[in-house]
Amino acid sequence: METGEQKEVEYCLYARKSSESDERQAMSIDSQIKEMGELAEKNSLNVKEIRRESHSAKVSGQRPVFNGILEDLTNKTFNGILTWSPDRLSRNAGDLGRLVDLMDGGALRQIRTFSQSFGNNPNEKFLLMILCSQAKLENDNRALSIKRGIRAKCEMGWRPGVAPLGYYNRSFGGVKDIVVDPERAPIIKEMFKRVAKYEHSGRTIKRWLDKIGFTSRNGNEIALSYVYTMLKNPFYYGEFEYGGNWYEGAHEPLVSEELFDQVQDQLKTPRKTKWGSKKFAFKGLFTCAGCDGGVIGEEQFKELKDGTLNRHVYYHCSRSRDYDCKEPYINEKDLIKELIDLVESLGKENLEPKEALRAKFLEYKKIANGVLDKEDANCDISFADFAKYVLTKGTLQEKRKLVKGLNLNLVLQNRKIKIK
């Protein structure tokens, strides 16, 4: 009886391997076809067609070959699928549902794997759904683990991905880090010095790089656009942005932050349009309390009666981790007030600013004492006074340095700044 039923089923042998890194250890397509071909011959299975595909099964409806198989099942080209394992067919709920629907409608008589068989009966369909759902769970957990690993790597100070020119990625004894490229690093240091001290333009730097034969890792000349990319990359002074958050790098800086800031000032060009500079003092310095994503800035303009534009800056969750995050925006003026209130509430005893910020405060205090003609170095000029001055009167870079120098893990929650 079983043999007769099998002969009535015409199979399509489907072999799949993801082209993505998470399935690099999966059996190759040729191996799947060889194993399942031998199984078909041994059990006298009628394999009408063989189809192969190199595509991830994470997302529903995205595999052209698999979609064609579903269409041919509907058109009765064949009525069975032969594949290595259930996870070759589906790692998502959408494609699994389409398979079950075809079984319910009688278009799909049987799914045969290397070790199991699934027909149109409740128990076997339920088992198929469990196995495919388990594959989806493994995918989801793997994605979470990867993201968690990337966050941990960033918090340790190591930027994910390929290191910028002047550095290279190193793997030694199972540890991956970023080290200075002894060949290119001195040239990149000289780039920054030439811009800051001799006011060289990006084009002048490119001509110099071409003249001395400076190339990319692939041996190509550096494009002008990439010259500017390097000159604006904070990685070279020891910080990097990833996923909307800023991190202090564990790598060796090539330039000082002061030199980097000088280069940024030198690269500034007059605004050509009325839409603003798109630079925000507090971008990436806080995290969202709702989803732990980064906080970014956004500018909006309101046209006044005299035709001029009034610029307003708002900060809100980047929604890089949760697109539907409900954390509300906050106006930059209110954000500054929140920061001032926070510093005042903490007081001197509960603040441990970084040494660079502490030095700036003492310098400010000394100058203020001189202006006020007070000899007592311990007069009533508090750190909160200094913070208020910088946050209301300072430059964009000074504001950023102050917030970073507070050495606090700050979050934005319901338009309030809090310590995490």
Side-chain angles (χ1 to χ4, degrees):
M1 180 71 179
E2 183 179 349
T3 304
E5 183 178 336
Q6 287 178 348
K7 287 182 178 179
E8 293 176 3
V9 179
E10 294 181 319
Y11 291 92
C12 172
L13 197 166
Y14 176 64
R16 181 187 69 82
K17 181 180 182 296
S18 175
S19 58
E20 300 180 8
S21 60
D22 61 89
E23 284 193 19
R24 284 178 181 169
Q25 302 304 316
M27 179 182 279
S28 70
I29 288 177
D30 289 340
S31 296
Q32 292 176 46
I33 292 174
K34 179 177 179 295
E35 293 285 346
M36 298 312 295
E38 291 176 355
L39 178 72
E41 184 177 355
K42 180 180 178 181
N43 292 275
S44 301
L45 304 181
N46 181 10
V47 178
K48 194 171 183 180
E49 291 189 32
I50 298 176
R51 299 187 188 180
R52 59 184 72 203
E53 186 164 40
S54 180
H55 204 293
S56 170
K58 291 179 183 178
V59 183
S60 173
Q62 298 299 308
R63 289 175 287 161
V65 175
F66 180 77
N67 290 338
I69 290 174
L70 298 184
E71 184 176 344
D72 287 340
L73 284 167
T74 304
N75 296 331
K76 303 186 184 323
T77 304
F78 35 75
N79 56 8
I81 299 176
L82 185 64
T83 191
W84 172 253
S85 65
D87 64 3
R88 299 301 87 199
L89 295 176
S90 173
R91 286 178 177 265
N92 67 81
D95 288 341
L96 174 59
R98 295 165 73 188
L99 287 170
V100 174
D101 284 344
L102 287 169
M103 275 190 165
D104 289 340
L108 177 56
R109 293 278 305 277
Q110 190 176 58
I111 294 174
R112 185 75 180 262
T113 70
F114 186 79
S115 58
Q116 293 167 299
S117 178
F118 307 94
N120 187 19
N121 66 73
N123 290 336
E124 293 180 6
K125 284 191 292 186
F126 181 63
L127 180 58
L128 175 67
M129 295 171 69
I130 289 177
L131 294 174
C132 290
S133 297
Q134 183 180 6
K136 173 173 169 53
L137 178 62
E138 290 172 356
N139 253 345
D140 293 345
N141 285 336
R142 187 182 296 116
L144 289 174
S145 297
I146 291 171
K147 290 179 181 178
R148 184 167 55 247
I150 289 174
R151 287 199 299 272
K153 185 176 181 180
C154 289
E155 288 164 2
M156 291 171 63
W158 300 117
R159 177 185 177 273
V162 179
L165 280 183
Y167 297 89
Y168 62 86
N169 301 87
R170 179 180 67 175
S171 181
F172 181 75
V175 177
K176 295 182 179 180
D177 59 6
I178 296 173
V179 295
V180 172
D181 182 341
E183 180 183 350
R184 294 182 175 85
I187 298 173
I188 292 174
K189 289 181 183 179
E190 182 65 21
M191 278 175 50
F192 279 89
K193 290 179 182 178
R194 286 178 178 238
V195 174
K197 296 184 178 180
Y198 307 117
E199 300 183 355
H200 285 187
S201 67
R203 292 185 181 276
T204 303
I205 293 295
K206 172 167 171 51
R207 285 195 293 269
W208 170 64
L209 292 176
D210 292 345
K211 183 178 179 181
I212 64 175
F214 185 83
T215 64
S216 68
R217 297 184 184 93
N218 296 326
N220 300 321
E221 289 186 353
I222 303 299
L224 177 61
S225 60
Y226 195 70
V227 170
Y228 284 108
T229 297
M230 288 193 292
L231 291 171
K232 294 178 181 180
N233 191 347
F235 189 89
Y236 291 113
Y237 77 79
E239 292 190 352
F240 63 91
E241 183 183 14
Y242 194 87
N245 295 318
W246 283 87
Y247 301 91
E248 289 192 26
H251 61 279
E252 178 186 337
L254 296 188
V255 301
S256 67
E257 189 172 356
E258 289 72 22
L259 179 61
F260 181 84
D261 289 342
Q262 291 174 30
V263 170
Q264 305 318 299
D265 291 337
Q266 182 62 32
L267 293 177
K268 285 179 182 176
T269 55
R271 191 170 72 185
K272 295 182 180 180
T273 66
K274 63 183 181 180
W275 297 113
S277 62
K278 297 288 185 182
K279 294 183 178 178
F280 307 100
F282 307 108
K283 176 187 174 183
L285 299 184
F286 313 98
T287 55
C288 170
C291 68
D292 208 33
V295 173
I296 60 174
E298 179 181 343
E299 63 181 3
Q300 295 185 7
F301 292 86
K302 183 178 180 181
E303 187 169 356
L304 304 179
K305 291 182 179 179
D306 60 2
T308 59
L309 293 173
N310 195 6
R311 180 176 181 256
H312 297 274
V313 176
Y314 300 90
Y315 292 86
H316 58 82
C317 175
S318 64
R319 295 178 174 82
S320 59
R321 295 189 180 178
D322 181 4
Y323 184 79
D324 297 317
C325 181
K326 304 300 182 184
E327 278 295 326
Y329 67 84
I330 183 172
N331 186 289
E332 187 175 73
K333 293 180 180 178
D334 295 332
L335 181 65
I336 289 173
K337 183 178 183 302
E338 279 293 311
L339 287 168
I340 293 172
D341 291 344
L342 177 67
V343 174
E344 288 179 342
S345 67
L346 288 173
K348 183 173 65 176
E349 294 76 18
N350 296 317
L351 275 172
E352 294 181 0
K354 295 180 181 179
E355 283 300 321
L357 182 59
R358 193 189 304 275
K360 288 287 185 183
F361 166 57
L362 294 176
E363 181 182 350
Y364 169 83
K365 190 173 183 179
K366 183 178 179 180
I367 294 172
N369 286 339
V371 171
L372 297 173
D373 197 24
K374 292 185 177 182
E375 296 181 358
D376 182 10
N378 295 314
C379 68
D380 264 344
I381 297 176
S382 66
F383 183 86
D385 295 327
F386 164 67
K388 183 176 181 180
Y389 174 80
V390 173
L391 290 169
T392 56
K393 306 293 185 182
T395 64
L396 182 146
Q397 289 295 333
E398 288 170 341
K399 293 175 183 178
R400 287 189 65 82
K401 288 178 181 178
L402 182 130
V403 175
K404 288 192 286 186
L406 291 176
N407 210 18
L408 298 171
N409 191 358
L410 301 175
V411 298
L412 179 63
Q413 183 176 26
N414 293 325
R415 298 195 177 98
K416 300 289 183 183
I417 298 299
K418 298 181 180 181
I419 301 175
K420 188 173 182 180

